[in-house]
Amino acid sequence: AQKITQTQPGMFVQEKEAVTLDCTYDTSDQSYGLFWYKQPSSGEMIFLIYQGSYDEQNATEGRYSLNFQKARKSANLVISASQLGDSAMYFCAMREVYSGNTPLVFGKGTRLSVIA
Amino acid sequence: NAGVTQTPKFQVLKTGQSMTLQCAQDMNHEYMSWYRQDPGMGLRLIHYSVGAGITDQGEVPNGYNVSRSTTEDFPLRLLSAAPSQTSVYFCASSYSGLSGDIQYFGAGTRLSVL
């Protein structure tokens, strides 16, 4: 079963507008971490933001925020005031703790295109 | 501080050839992993290691071998390359495998198997 689902293969947003990238996850563990990574056309994977399952506040990092709804098992990335440089692939990922050292599992990604 | 270093950046192989993708990190991270990225598939885990001398299989391990003799290095070996192994390979590391540990990635190796 797919643990991370990103239902939007591609998204367009106007420059300076906000955009939400969807991510739902599947786990029976109570303790887990959720991550978002950005992959620009140059190919590197850049860490953006992290949310722990026990964190009461939604994580924020500059223009990035994570809309964490635990009961719905969703961890959507919100980018405010989009910039042309935000055009990239975005990956949602999860790390569970059921056995201690566990791998990071990724969704298939969403390609965001920012239009001037 | 170099972070995670992967070599080579590009490689072309013929079917049946073997090669080793190198990965080194200088952050004293215990946890290291290898992923492959194919169009529309996201990143899929090949193998991972929770420390020197300990490795385990991920989602797509067939055709690949790994070993971890030191904390710093985690090479990925293709024993007999096949066209299906044409992909972009990423090595990553984190302090541990716990849920809150951020995983840092190398720049990737683009491999073509003809």
Side-chain angles (χ1 to χ4, degrees), chain B residues 44-59:
Chain B
R44 293 183 293 169
L45 183 68
I46 305 172
H47 286 285
Y48 66 99
S49 169
V50 300
I54 306 169
T55 63
D56 206 347
Q57 296 181 351
E59 180 186 356

Side-chain angles (χ1 to χ4, degrees), chain A residues 2-19:
Chain A
Q2 194 169 353
K3 286 186 175 288
I4 299 288
T5 303
Q6 295 181 253
T7 57
Q8 308 151 314
M11 294 263 306
F12 289 90
V13 65
Q14 204 77 31
E15 196 178 9
K16 299 180 186 176
E17 292 187 349
V19 63

Side-chain angles (χ1 to χ4, degrees), chain A:
Chain A
Q2 194 169 353
K3 286 186 175 288
I4 299 288
T5 303
Q6 295 181 253
T7 57
Q8 308 151 314
M11 294 263 306
F12 289 90
V13 65
Q14 204 77 31
E15 196 178 9
K16 299 180 186 176
E17 292 187 349
V19 63
T20 297
L21 306 184
D22 293 341
C23 172
T24 58
Y25 59 91
D26 181 29
T27 181
S28 57
D29 207 37
Q30 295 301 309
S31 180
Y32 50 89
L34 296 156
F35 302 79
W36 278 91
Y37 284 82
K38 173 183 178 181
Q39 186 179 42
S41 58
S42 52
E44 70 268 34
M45 294 289 290
I46 302 168
F47 165 73
L48 292 179
I49 196 167
Y50 162 79
Q51 177 86 40
S53 59
Y54 290 118
D55 294 341
E56 295 183 353
Q57 304 268 3
N58 284 343
T60 60
E61 289 286 349
R63 294 186 299 110
Y64 303 108
S65 60
L66 202 153
N67 185 0
F68 180 46
Q69 298 186 43
K70 193 170 183 177
R72 298 180 65 181
K73 295 188 176 178
S74 75
N76 298 339
L77 177 70
V78 180
I79 305 175
S80 62
S82 296
Q83 302 172 356
L84 295 178
D86 294 333
S87 293
M89 283 289 290
Y90 289 83
F91 292 97
C92 179
M94 177 176 67
R95 202 166 207 174
E96 296 170 301
V97 196
Y98 58 85
S99 63
N101 288 296
T102 55
L104 194 60
V105 177
F106 286 82
K108 295 185 177 182
T110 295
R111 181 173 298 281
L112 178 67
S113 298
V114 180
I115 305 166

